[in-house]
Amino acid sequence: IDNYLKRLNSQGVKPTLLLIDYIGLLLPNNKTKESGMYERGGEVAKNLRALTYKYKVPCVAPVQVNRSGFSTADIDMENIAESAGITHHADAIMAIYENEGDHENGILNFVMRKNRLGGKIGKPISLKVDRRTLKLNEITKNNTQTNNLIETNLNSL
């Protein structure tokens, strides 16, 4: 990933986001496949975090929940599958989930679980998602929607 980002930068391309799909399949720079899952996951997360500082680009790496996370609406860091080492090196952790009936109504719920920069930890936010455009709007208490949530309010989490 470092070599790829280095090549992009040398060609004048500056990514605005590094999106890693399935962090558990990556191997860290200095460990082998035989290393333990906790150690590998933590090292990969630490390496990715270092790249965010080196290239000044945020990294989003979705992870799945473990079995206990499937049966709770209160997903927290202990529900992250793969490696707790991932949670130790992440700057921010946000759970995205649907309650019963939310999918049919186009609702996604977000809750911040860790944020090294501070912010609203543990306060859920419900969003209306237009699945055609993937546009998200905050659902307020009186059931109205506000536009441009991603560009405004989520930055304050």
Side-chain angles (χ1 to χ4, degrees):
I1 295 171
D2 188 17
N3 287 334
Y4 182 68
L5 291 172
K6 193 179 300 178
R7 196 167 5 130
L8 286 175
N9 278 322
S10 72
Q11 296 170 356
V13 177
K14 172 131 176 50
T16 56
L17 177 70
L18 178 59
L19 179 61
I20 303 296
D21 186 18
Y22 209 3
I23 193 172
L25 294 178
L26 297 176
L27 287 175
N29 295 332
N30 57 350
K31 302 293 179 206
T32 66
K33 204 171 193 171
E34 288 75 35
S35 298
M37 189 179 288
Y38 172 84
E39 187 177 66
R40 278 196 330 259
E43 283 296 315
V44 167
K46 186 166 58 172
N47 292 339
L48 287 172
R49 186 169 186 252
L51 290 176
T52 67
Y53 289 97
K54 182 176 180 178
Y55 294 100
K56 296 182 179 28
V57 60
C59 177
V60 174
V63 295
Q64 296 178 350
V65 296
N66 56 26
R67 287 184 182 156
S68 64
F70 286 126
S71 59
T72 181
D74 192 25
I75 298 168
D76 211 340
M77 289 189 291
E78 68 267 5
N79 301 118
I80 291 177
E82 310 277 338
S83 170
I86 294 169
T87 65
H88 297 156
H89 295 289
D91 286 330
I93 295 176
M94 179 180 284
I96 304 171
Y97 62 95
E98 292 177 331
N99 292 315
E100 190 173 327
D102 283 350
H103 187 79
E104 295 79 13
N105 293 313
I107 296 172
L108 285 176
N109 301 290
F110 292 72
V111 62
M112 184 66 73
R113 290 301 180 193
K114 176 182 179 181
N115 188 344
R116 287 184 200 231
L117 301 175
K120 300 174 186 171
I121 306 292
K123 183 180 177 190
I125 297 173
S126 295
L127 305 176
K128 184 76 172 171
V129 60
D130 180 337
R131 296 194 191 278
R132 290 180 304 107
T133 63
L134 298 181
K135 185 174 182 178
L136 300 172
N137 296 302
E138 184 175 11
I139 300 172
T140 60
K141 289 180 184 174
N142 59 2
N143 242 3
T144 60
Q145 298 174 29
T146 58
N147 293 324
N148 301 321
L149 176 73
I150 295 301
E151 296 172 5
T152 56
N153 295 348
L154 278 182
N155 290 328
S156 67
L157 291 177

